[in-house]
Amino acid sequence: MRLLLINPNMTESMTRSMTDVARVTAGPAAEIVPLTATTGFPYISSRAEAQIAGAGVLETIASHRHDVDAVIIAAFGDPGLVAARELFDLPIVGMAEAAVMSAAMLGERFSVVTFSPHMARWYDACVRQTGLGGRFTGVRCPADPPAQLGDVQTALRPELIALAHDGTRSDGADVVILGGAPLAGLAPQIAHETPGILVDPIAAATAQAMALARLSPSYRNRTARPAAKTSTGLGQALSTVIAGETT
Amino acid sequence: MRLLLINPNMTESMTRSMTDVARVTAGPAAEIVPLTATTGFPYISSRAEAQIAGAGVLETIASHRHDVDAVIIAAFGDPGLVAARELFDLPIVGMAEAAVMSAAMLGERFSVVTFSPHMARWYDACVRQTGLGGRFTGVRCPADPPAQLGDVQTALRPELIALAHDGTRSDGADVVILGGAPLAGLAPQIAHETPGILVDPIAAATAQAMALARLSPSYRNRTARPAAKTSTGLGQALSTVIAGETT
Amino acid sequence: MRLLLINPNMTESMTRSMTDVARVTAGPAAEIVPLTATTGFPYISSRAEAQIAGAGVLETIASHRHDVDAVIIAAFGDPGLVAARELFDLPIVGMAEAAVMSAAMLGERFSVVTFSPHMARWYDACVRQTGLGGRFTGVRCPADPPAQLGDVQTALRPELIALAHDGTRSDGADVVILGGAPLAGLAPQIAHETPGILVDPIAAATAQAMALARLSPSYRNRTARPAAKTSTGLGQALSTVIAGETT
Amino acid sequence: MRLLLINPNMTESMTRSMTDVARVTAGPAAEIVPLTATTGFPYISSRAEAQIAGAGVLETIASHRHDVDAVIIAAFGDPGLVAARELFDLPIVGMAEAAVMSAAMLGERFSVVTFSPHMARWYDACVRQTGLGGRFTGVRCPADPPAQLGDVQTALRPELIALAHDGTRSDGADVVILGGAPLAGLAPQIAHETPGILVDPIAAATAQAMALARLSPSYRNRTARPAAKTSTGLGQALSTVIAGETT
Amino acid sequence: MRLLLINPNMTESMTRSMTDVARVTAGPAAEIVPLTATTGFPYISSRAEAQIAGAGVLETIASHRHDVDAVIIAAFGDPGLVAARELFDLPIVGMAEAAVMSAAMLGERFSVVTFSPHMARWYDACVRQTGLGGRFTGVRCPADPPAQLGDVQTALRPELIALAHDGTRSDGADVVILGGAPLAGLAPQIAHETPGILVDPIAAATAQAMALARLSPSYRNRTARPAAKTSTGLGQALSTVIAGETT
Amino acid sequence: MRLLLINPNMTESMTRSMTDVARVTAGPAAEIVPLTATTGFPYISSRAEAQIAGAGVLETIASHRHDVDAVIIAAFGDPGLVAARELFDLPIVGMAEAAVMSAAMLGERFSVVTFSPHMARWYDACVRQTGLGGRFTGVRCPADPPAQLGDVQTALRPELIALAHDGTRSDGADVVILGGAPLAGLAPQIAHETPGILVDPIAAATAQAMALARLSPSYRNRTARPAAKTSTGLGQALSTVIAGETT
């Protein structure tokens, strides 16, 4: 089984750390094919950025869809996910959605802990978009953004653990999702000090992409596929998909 | 007062008919500045197309934001609206949202009648996105798509009136929104034969853009503005806005 | 265009200050016709008072409906609004509803800041009644009622600004509605010191009444109109409307 | 125990038939004190009428509150209920609310069957107002209003039974509420022919008024009571209550 | 009228104190028949315990259903209530549900105050299960569990009063439900020191069981009854009921 | 990886067919350990039956929890799932919940198609219990129950395909869940004739149990675990777990 891991952010180091987690999660059962965005932003944190980067995600899936069994959109706000799922005939998961669905099967209510107040609004909206807002206790984040993204796992470690306490003790969550690519891989390192059950979104996305691929869903009679359409200014592969051509 | 009317579809004739309605609605109180998308699709009808066209809308607003008092995104699914409102410091309205908010002040429940089943899914999601789903009785549409978009006002006239009957008598709506750019201008022509109060979304968007501009909202201390960020591959104007530069 | 501004409270000074704001908002495009209740209460702050004053609002609209293009119910709890909209064939807006709908087009979530804890319960219910409770972050108010209503704009100014901080920073609102007739006109004076986008409800009601009138909705085939009925003890004009007579 | 049964409609014959049902329900355990509105409408069926009649209900309760242990507002749309409960220090029930709460303890989902399409909108809103809309399958009613109200129990009997079938078989209700004063007393007569568990709202209101009175709730430290206030144009008794005087 | 009061907990002293409250509430109008569980747990406080104890409740009702007019499940989490109501042809009430429905007729929003954080999760879920979560302000409880259950009414009295203050002043409840069998009978003792209207769940359950029995609902054409079925390992009486036999 | 597949129904043939599907889904990556209930009912179809059978599920998990990596409760109504997840320190999935979560990652809205109207009420409640009711278009089932369960896959095949058409075309679902153990394994056989994307719940439960086990969640600091407690009448293993003993 091959899984396309698309990092819609332009930061290669994030792709590497997320790929590492995905490979540990998948073990020998799946091959991870990582790709990093070449246009857009170093790190997406708003709806405007997600609008733009999500369009790029569609181009990337169009180009690689024949080579993989499932796709992981590897940014917590799931840029392009709804659009991609409507358009393509293979399983596609987002980090936020996969983390939320997994959390909802591990406990009753879940919290998101993240590293910066800049992410809170977008993450909150993204979680509610899944339809599971009724089991979500909210986003917990530091009051101020970090000086730099590269070392948040070490610099913010005590604060992230404290936020998980808030999410469980005060907010009533059973499960704590560590949201955002810069936190990839942190969960197992802090699990013994942290209350609740921790979920790493890239691990969840990998496990869910494998689960969906394992179901071998038949897309043949899919009803949600948009009508075929001409387009202007798109990449060749995406333009072909939207035109309804089968090559 | 100047209003930028952006048609995210590439079809000029739609821009012309929507501009006509907007000008009648505004009268001498506002000048309408129409623009038609030069990339994308003849007519957007899916989330994938909205993802792409919405990114183009951001570029257009970035280029013209200093010249106008408010912006109308003139496609019923409001591509790019949430992203644009987060990014820019001026009032921005979408046709669906403006129609929904106006309908909710004209009656208790509202229906959307449109011209093709291809639009139903996207329109339904777009209306619920406003938060007013509890007052929405659903989308009514013909069973099959029209042969062509250009003449739906005449070809489908009896069927659209019948659908408005379904929306009011069966579904319990007081107000019927005629959704989709190809229906622009139809409402006053069929009002005497149609039950309920009719709303034309481009008229509503024009009236709401004027209402918001009239409030002269102060964006100076706005809290929702994303943090400044570098970018790659964007147009000059949009890149400048996202970089937080004030020119 | 003529707009009937009904103050359901008996306090003339409130009518004057709200009329001032309405006239600034409308400019030359609309004439404001103010009326102050002659029975009822100095200032409505409960459901019982709104039940009674709302019946008076219906009498007033019945008497003046032929002379105006739209009606503003100028009290934040919108007494009589739902009943009036069901009964009369012209656009009617309430201050709370108009503020909420406007706020929802200026940002994603909105807060209400008001001047007394006595208003919080009624205002909260009134906002949720619009159907937009999912985007509402709640009412913020001082812990104690003010000594007198006449000078709350100056006496409470620092506290109101602090409450707007709570509504935006703690509660996550983008837009802050300054709720209640005694705060009419305050928004532009404190905008430079206050976070978020401020909305003055009487300005919003004026702009929305103009927007709805501009749409020239056809009430001819309205489906929500109650069946004609005899009545006892009502004023002549209202009795005539309820009897379904067209004079 | 004495229960004040206020018919907000002006029709004495309805008061008599509802009082008969209330007396059968209460047996010797409670005395029913019936009162019929002397202003307003023969039969309330809209929000405008409820706004006006509800104000009259407040006057009536104010005059009689010292003589009874609980109050029944005997019209299915519960005119004045929310206002009265906020104002007065004794248990007050409405026919719709009491029927809904009782139905929700007899089964999982409930339907309302009524005698005229004119009631459907108001009844639907009133049921949802209780907060139990998630267990409500909707209002079922004849397509056309009855020629007269006085004989709907006999004239519409087969149709009402058929509507109860729709409510249970098609809509999935377990319990069917026979809504509206003209149906008072019908439930036991048709129970053997009708699917589901039937609830007569006036019987439910009587049983619930007795249940609440039996709890002897202490209103001494009630937090929802509005602040005392002067008023103009109200009856003596209501004016006294609103002024916060204890006589 | 005879009411079966089933304590699904094995603690006899709780049965005695709840029976005392029920008898005061019912007065001479109903006879209370108490029963205490003989298997299960001293005091249920989790979903696992409710799953098991609820099965025992079904056995008990099956054995005694011909001897009583209604059943009270006397534990605040209502173990077995939904199942029992689906299975048996007589009114069955739970303490939580009856308290919630009563509270919703005494005020607008209600809070639950209880004696231990161990109960909060289950009680919260149980209240929301009624469908009235929109009027519920949440559970307030001490930070730590009590040393023993037997004396919580005296040991925690000041803290419970303080929690009721939180529920009303901070959370906005009008009515405070004192949740959990160990608090039975406390409400009238602390009412004069406690804000809001207090509800004792066992009193509410008694009053509601009497109210439902008073309605004499006809179960003859009930649609929710499961199809008859064979079973293995159940008690004789329950097995007979599930087999659809009428003895 | 070892997965415990508990059939809470007593019908061995169902266990065999579900085990077959689970083994195909898991392939060599997981070993399926099937168990069939020895008390209870041939086939659970009501809340009363689920209350009883769910208690048996807890006993079974308690006895086998050390031998497996995850548990599948193999009945579509998920009897005992919430209780089990609160009690035990390993991943536990239910067929309905796993199908729903998987469906929500394959499309936007999902329908349940089942073989008998007797299941509709319980299945509907069970799906909504997941919190994803907002994306659920409802249960579609034949008007009458089947003569026997053993051959529904062949006897009802055309009707099930027609119901899937109703679920997609009329109700707007993208994904159709074939609910109920008797339909295990049918999905791939009818996929080419059926609209939408089909989900087999036992395949989904297997894939999700594997996904959760793959995440290696740490239960060490779990906050939802009930306090330790003595018990009477339970099996040895379950009694030990509830007593908080670690053996």
Side-chain angles (χ1 to χ4, degrees), chain E residues 31-236:
Chain E
E31 179 187 352
I32 307 299
V33 183
L35 275 178
T36 306
T38 54
T39 59
F41 312 92
Y43 191 63
I44 303 167
S45 61
S46 75
R47 251 72 62 98
E49 295 152 24
Q51 177 86 46
I52 295 162
V57 166
L58 300 182
E59 298 275 8
T60 304
I61 300 175
S63 297
H64 296 269
R65 73 193 192 281
H66 292 313
D67 308 331
V68 295
D69 298 289
V71 176
I72 297 166
I73 300 178
F76 193 73
D78 300 349
L81 176 62
V82 173
R85 194 171 282 155
E86 197 172 75
L87 193 60
F88 297 109
D89 286 343
L90 82 174
I92 300 170
V93 300
M95 268 170 72
E97 188 191 70
V100 160
M101 296 294 171
S102 301
M105 287 184 283
L106 289 168
E108 196 160 333
R109 296 197 215 158
F110 55 90
S111 173
V112 170
V113 165
T114 191
F115 58 92
S116 168
H118 287 163
M119 316 310 296
R121 164 187 291 267
W122 183 40
Y123 284 3
D124 184 275
C126 183
V127 168
R128 294 186 195 283
Q129 171 94 358
T130 65
L132 277 171
R135 296 174 65 178
F136 174 43
T137 65
V139 175
R140 287 278 183 173
C141 61
D144 298 302
Q148 50 183 44
L149 291 188
D151 67 349
V152 292
Q153 295 202 7
T154 48
L156 298 183
R157 181 177 170 139
E159 183 159 14
L160 293 167
I161 293 171
L163 291 168
H165 271 276
D166 294 340
T168 51
R169 306 293 175 196
S170 305
D171 302 341
D174 307 324
V175 181
V176 176
I177 298 170
L178 295 174
L183 301 185
L186 179 63
Q189 296 176 42
I190 62 171
H192 64 289
E193 304 172 70
T194 313
I197 298 173
L198 295 182
V199 168
D200 181 320
I202 188 66
T206 305
Q208 289 298 345
M210 292 173 73
L212 297 187
R214 202 176 282 285
L215 293 179
S216 301
S218 170
Y219 286 86
R220 171 178 168 148
N221 298 323
R222 200 157 70 86
T223 51
R225 191 182 292 115
K229 191 160 295 190
T230 61
S231 61
T232 303
L234 276 60
Q236 176 63 37

Side-chain angles (χ1 to χ4, degrees), chain D residues 219-241:
Chain D
Y219 286 86
R220 172 180 167 147
N221 298 323
R222 200 156 71 86
T223 51
R225 192 182 292 117
K229 192 159 293 189
T230 61
S231 61
T232 303
L234 278 60
Q236 177 63 37
L238 181 56
S239 177
T240 301
V241 172

Side-chain angles (χ1 to χ4, degrees), chain C residues 146-211:
Chain C
Q148 49 183 45
L149 291 188
D151 66 349
V152 293
Q153 295 201 8
T154 48
L156 297 183
R157 181 178 171 137
E159 183 158 14
L160 294 167
I161 293 171
L163 292 167
H165 271 276
D166 294 340
T168 50
R169 307 291 176 196
S170 305
D171 302 342
D174 307 325
V175 182
V176 176
I177 298 168
L178 295 174
L183 302 185
L186 180 62
Q189 297 176 42
I190 63 171
H192 64 289
E193 304 172 70
T194 313
I197 298 173
L198 295 182
V199 168
D200 181 320
I202 188 66
T206 306
Q208 290 297 344
M210 293 172 72

Side-chain angles (χ1 to χ4, degrees), chain A residues 145-181:
Chain A
Q148 50 183 45
L149 290 188
D151 66 350
V152 291
Q153 295 202 6
T154 48
L156 297 183
R157 181 177 172 137
E159 183 159 14
L160 294 167
I161 293 172
L163 292 168
H165 272 275
D166 294 340
T168 52
R169 307 291 177 196
S170 305
D171 302 342
D174 307 325
V175 182
V176 176
I177 298 169
L178 295 175

Side-chain angles (χ1 to χ4, degrees), chain C residues 80-168:
Chain C
L81 176 63
V82 172
R85 194 171 281 155
E86 198 172 76
L87 194 59
F88 297 108
D89 286 342
L90 82 172
I92 300 169
V93 300
M95 268 170 71
E97 189 191 69
V100 160
M101 297 293 172
S102 301
M105 288 184 283
L106 289 169
E108 195 160 335
R109 296 198 214 157
F110 55 90
S111 173
V112 171
V113 165
T114 190
F115 58 91
S116 167
H118 287 163
M119 315 310 296
R121 165 187 291 267
W122 182 39
Y123 284 2
D124 184 276
C126 183
V127 169
R128 295 186 194 283
Q129 172 95 357
T130 65
L132 276 172
R135 296 173 65 178
F136 175 43
T137 66
V139 175
R140 288 277 183 175
C141 61
D144 298 302
Q148 49 183 45
L149 291 188
D151 66 349
V152 293
Q153 295 201 8
T154 48
L156 297 183
R157 181 178 171 137
E159 183 158 14
L160 294 167
I161 293 171
L163 292 167
H165 271 276
D166 294 340
T168 50

